[in-house]
Amino acid sequence: MNSMCNNVLGKKNWIIPDCELPQPGEGVAKGHESVIIVNDSDVDAEINVEIFFTDKDPYTDIKWTVGAKRVKCFRMNNLEHMCGFEVPFETQYALKISSSTPIVLQYGRLDNTQANLAFYTTLGYSE
Amino acid sequence: MNSMCNNVLGKKNWIIPDCELPQPGEGVAKGHESVIIVNDSDVDAEINVEIFFTDKDPYTDIKWTVGAKRVKCFRMNNLEHMCGFEVPFETQYALKISSSTPIVLQYGRLDNTQANLAFYTTLGYSE
Amino acid sequence: MNSMCNNVLGKKNWIIPDCELPQPGEGVAKGHESVIIVNDSDVDAEINVEIFFTDKDPYTDIKWTVGAKRVKCFRMNNLEHMCGFEVPFETQYALKISSSTPIVLQYGRLDNTQANLAFYTTLGYSE
Amino acid sequence: MNSMCNNVLGKKNWIIPDCELPQPGEGVAKGHESVIIVNDSDVDAEINVEIFFTDKDPYTDIKWTVGAKRVKCFRMNNLEHMCGFEVPFETQYALKISSSTPIVLQYGRLDNTQANLAFYTTLGYSE
């Protein structure tokens, strides 16, 4: 395959182990969590989101869409993005994300609770 | 395989090279180290933990369990989590983690020794 | 293959999901974004850069070159590096990077908007 | 293979794209760069280190050893660790690391130039 061909990059299944929604805090940049998804394919990505908890079964009623050849940022403190599910503050959870077409996914957190902005990021684990 | 099937994600063997327990520090968020493990399978994960040192053989008497379809956060400064092993402060070590069923693992550290919270995270290396 | 052989490391296709150009800010170290590329091969790497947006088709008119056995740092706020494309501040985008020869790629961001320098880094996703 | 077997984890070849030695700075924790290597095998790891630059051929006269079942932290500002090579401050470089036996490798940087400690870490790229 020619490396310059427009081959589609990504995987269909992702996990982010360490999710936790920080308080907004006092700084200019409000604390938040995000999942950023790239869809390199020519069709829309239909995505199922599962939330894993420490002490109960996963919540599975969240659906996302990312358009063909687009990037989209989902915020965990945005009720519309979470299809009405209210993510609790400062509580351990994890995300499993399954897509109809290959995607690439990164997790980002901004903590500003001590007015000294700190970042936390990783690519997701993919298969 | 249909991408929407409930396939189990993860690997059984993981290494985190750079572990070091920070002092709690002075800030609101106390300094700590964590290993966060997702078990996406339908059976409990029975996990062996090995601690590697710079100058002596590994310590191998730590066992963890993560329930089916759960996420769990283990704290390195929690004696119960470490099965009684006291992790020394500010000392280089590494973790090798082997599970009976596939898991996904992330390492996180919060340093607050200068009252200016800093984060350090990576997925583990897996096979 | 002997591990000590001079085998070429890397992949030809990379994606960085979470790009966003920070304001320079007030600190000594000015806020910026970088893509750092290693070319471990014996020939120059001819590289195509695509910028993905949230609401329009990708921009594809950026070319980079990294010499054989060299590392090079590209700055997103450097108009020459971006072939005249002006990256907007504080706007979500993603990068897809395709090379004629294997490369290894890391993304770095320095945020200094609250005069309290924070870092954000990840290896890119590769295939 | 039984997941509880003592299989050796790691890869022989690694690259860290984004290396840069920070000034020590003014804080309690002095700014530095580290490469942390785990040797999970039963034999010592004999390691070749190559430094890539932006404008000249790689420097290849550095050798490291990591004992069997040990972790070791190499500091880039430690002349002994670098076999006499003086890494310049605030200058882009990259590391290619090749081992005689599988290893796992993480890069860490602590920046303290504005007395507000920031971390930067990633696993290396491996093959």
Side-chain angles (χ1 to χ4, degrees), chain C residues 16 19 21 33-35 48-53 59-65 72-88 93-97 107:
Chain C
I16 307 159
C19 301
L21 182 61
E33 274 183 312
S34 308
V35 171
N48 286 334
V49 181
E50 287 183 72
I51 302 182
F52 280 57
F53 303 99
Y59 182 85
T60 61
D61 290 346
I62 298 173
K63 310 275 182 196
W64 291 343
T65 300
K72 191 162 175 183
C73 174
F74 297 92
R75 290 278 183 105
M76 274 67 253
N77 62 350
N78 181 321
L79 266 182
E80 198 175 329
H81 285 180
M82 300 308 281
C83 302
F85 180 81
E86 193 169 341
V87 175
Y93 70 98
L95 289 171
K96 180 180 179 184
I97 290 164
Y107 170 84

Side-chain angles (χ1 to χ4, degrees), chain B residues 92-107:
Chain B
Q92 182 76 54
Y93 70 100
L95 289 170
K96 181 182 179 182
I97 290 165
S98 307
S99 171
S100 59
T101 190
I103 56 175
V104 183
L105 183 158
Q106 185 173 347
Y107 170 85

Side-chain angles (χ1 to χ4, degrees), chain B residues 76-91:
Chain B
M76 274 69 252
N77 61 350
N78 181 321
L79 265 181
E80 198 174 331
H81 285 180
M82 301 308 282
C83 302
F85 180 81
E86 192 169 341
V87 175
F89 286 112
E90 300 173 357
T91 303

Side-chain angles (χ1 to χ4, degrees), chain D residues 6-126:
Chain D
N6 198 14
N7 52 324
V8 174
L9 299 185
K11 297 275 178 73
K12 291 185 177 177
N13 297 289
W14 294 78
I15 281 185
I16 307 159
D18 188 19
C19 301
E20 187 182 317
L21 183 60
Q23 298 282 353
E26 299 293 336
V28 173
K30 295 305 176 198
H32 63 266
E33 274 184 310
S34 308
V35 171
I36 299 94
I37 299 179
V38 175
N39 178 4
D40 184 35
S41 73
D42 291 318
V43 294
D44 290 358
E46 303 299 337
I47 296 168
N48 286 334
V49 180
E50 288 182 72
I51 303 182
F52 281 57
F53 303 99
T54 59
D55 54 3
K56 58 185 172 186
D57 286 342
Y59 181 85
T60 62
D61 290 346
I62 299 173
K63 311 275 181 196
W64 292 344
T65 300
V66 179
K69 296 284 175 193
R70 295 289 184 274
V71 59
K72 191 162 176 184
C73 174
F74 297 92
R75 290 278 183 106
M76 273 69 253
N77 61 350
N78 181 321
L79 266 182
E80 198 176 329
H81 284 180
M82 300 308 281
C83 303
F85 180 82
E86 192 169 341
V87 175
F89 286 111
E90 300 172 357
T91 303
Q92 181 75 56
Y93 70 99
L95 289 171
K96 182 181 179 183
I97 289 164
S98 306
S99 171
S100 59
T101 190
I103 55 176
V104 183
L105 183 159
Q106 186 173 346
Y107 170 85
R109 192 193 305 165
L110 188 159
D111 188 297
N112 210 355
T113 47
Q114 294 182 219
N116 51 4
L117 185 146
F119 283 131
Y120 197 78
T121 193
T122 184
L123 287 184
Y125 171 89
S126 63

